[in-house]
Amino acid sequence: MGKGRTDEARTVLTRLRGDAVAAGEELAEIERAERTERERSEPLTVRRLLSPRLRPVFVVGMLLVLFQNFVGINTIIYYAPTLLTDIGFGSNGAILANVGIGLLNMLMTLSAMRLIDRKGRKPLLLFGALGMCAAMVLLAVTNLSGLGYGALLSVLTLGGIALYIASFAISWGPVQWVMLPELFPMRIRAAAVSLCVLFNWLFNMIVALVFPSLLHAWGAGINFLFFAGTTLLAFLFVQRLLPETKGRSLEEIEQDLLRGRPARREAEGSVPVSSGSASH
């Protein structure tokens, strides 16, 4: 739409909606939003981003990327071979187990792609946070219980890691990247999402750099308890602050968020929000 490809946008919307009339109405809505965006477009500045109207949206976006990193995913992905070696796995066994973790990650991410528009964003994030919290508690208890090297320790540790990876990959891993563009108004979306992604990688770097020192100072068990706490906070954040975006057009989400009214209701039988990208 923004590049004058109206006919292509109409074709895409008609195919997605299955109804030329509904597609025409949505296209008209998008055209109105585009026109309003051009009329009101302003450069994104820190002062504007922190204005009373945009600050709640920006805070929610930043918290989303903060929790995605501070739920502990990097501690599992980056240091799983080290953790497995510490509980008695040989080097080859630890690497082989890590390959299995990567495969599980991929399979659950593919499942998330099918579920994200059927179940919604918030249910997946809530489910994932609870699963990760349970996994971190299991890993912490296993580590702090003083179990000697053996089959039980190996099974519990691998089970905890597998539960954590599955829970993350079906929720926080992919859902963040779907929700970020849906949260921000169209006129500032590119710049605001870019800023959030920048902080996402900064948070990623902080966790990756700090975790080895914490692992050495406190041991794995205490660190797992810490991340169990952060996953619980992530659950509360999603439950109380994050709006559901499934089944709502990008324009509707923008209007609700800028009014300070989280889009809590879930449209029944709607086509995925991501289809609204035809307006770009």
Side-chain angles (χ1 to χ4, degrees):
M1 290 293 297
K3 297 182 180 179
R5 298 159 64 183
T6 305
D7 290 340
E8 292 181 47
R10 187 184 303 277
T11 300
V12 170
L13 283 174
T14 301
R15 185 167 63 249
L16 288 170
R17 304 304 185 216
D19 184 338
V21 175
E25 292 175 352
E26 184 166 351
L27 192 64
E29 178 188 353
I30 293 171
E31 288 175 334
R32 287 194 297 270
E34 259 326 300
R35 187 164 53 251
T36 301
E37 177 187 358
R38 287 194 298 270
E39 293 171 354
R40 299 180 181 178
S41 180
E42 299 178 17
L44 181 63
T45 63
V46 174
R47 176 178 295 181
R48 176 166 176 73
L49 196 58
L50 298 180
S51 67
R53 293 184 69 204
L54 294 182
R55 184 169 57 243
V57 186
F58 179 63
V59 169
V60 166
M62 289 297 293
L63 286 174
L64 185 62
V65 298
L66 173 72
F67 280 118
Q68 202 236 24
N69 286 279
F70 279 86
V71 292
I73 181 59
N74 295 327
T75 67
I76 301 297
I77 295 294
Y78 295 163
Y79 300 106
T82 302
L83 295 172
L84 292 172
T85 300
D86 288 345
I87 63 168
F89 277 74
S91 297
N92 291 336
I95 293 174
L96 184 61
N98 209 41
V99 170
I101 290 169
L103 180 60
L104 176 63
N105 191 0
M106 181 189 71
L107 293 175
M108 297 306 291
T109 300
L110 293 175
S111 298
M113 292 170 61
R114 295 180 59 85
L115 292 173
I116 193 168
D117 288 320
R118 295 182 180 180
K119 302 298 183 181
R121 284 67 162 145
K122 286 188 67 168
L124 287 183
L125 291 175
L126 291 170
F127 171 81
L130 289 178
M132 289 187 293
C133 185
M136 284 298 186
V137 169
L138 174 60
L139 289 170
V141 170
T142 300
N143 186 268
L144 296 173
S145 63
L147 286 175
Y149 294 146
L152 180 59
L153 178 63
S154 299
V155 169
L156 290 176
T157 301
L158 278 177
I161 292 175
L163 174 60
Y164 181 91
I165 289 295
S167 299
F168 180 87
I170 204 170
S171 59
W172 286 82
V175 171
Q176 170 192 279
W177 303 107
V178 173
M179 289 200 77
L180 274 179
E182 296 174 346
L183 290 171
F184 290 101
M186 290 176 62
R187 60 183 173 274
I188 65 165
R189 182 170 296 134
V193 171
S194 297
L195 185 60
C196 285
V197 171
L198 172 64
F199 275 92
N200 178 78
W201 289 110
L202 286 175
F203 295 146
N204 183 297
M205 181 181 68
I206 290 170
V207 174
L209 291 176
V210 171
F211 179 70
S213 299
L214 296 180
L215 185 63
H216 178 74
W218 297 345
I222 299 299
N223 281 279
F224 290 144
L225 284 178
F226 170 78
F227 288 119
T230 61
T231 54
L232 182 58
L233 290 176
F235 176 88
L236 295 175
F237 158 68
V238 174
Q239 185 182 55
R240 300 188 179 186
L241 295 179
L242 192 66
E244 174 60 85
T245 55
K246 172 182 176 288
R248 298 177 63 84
S249 74
L250 299 175
E251 291 72 31
E252 289 175 325
I253 297 166
E254 172 182 343
Q255 292 168 9
D256 283 349
L257 283 172
L258 291 184
R259 291 192 193 107
R261 243 188 10 242
R264 296 175 186 234
R265 66 181 176 85
E266 182 176 313
E268 295 294 334
S270 297
V271 175
V273 171
S274 56
S275 65
S277 59
S279 62
H280 290 220

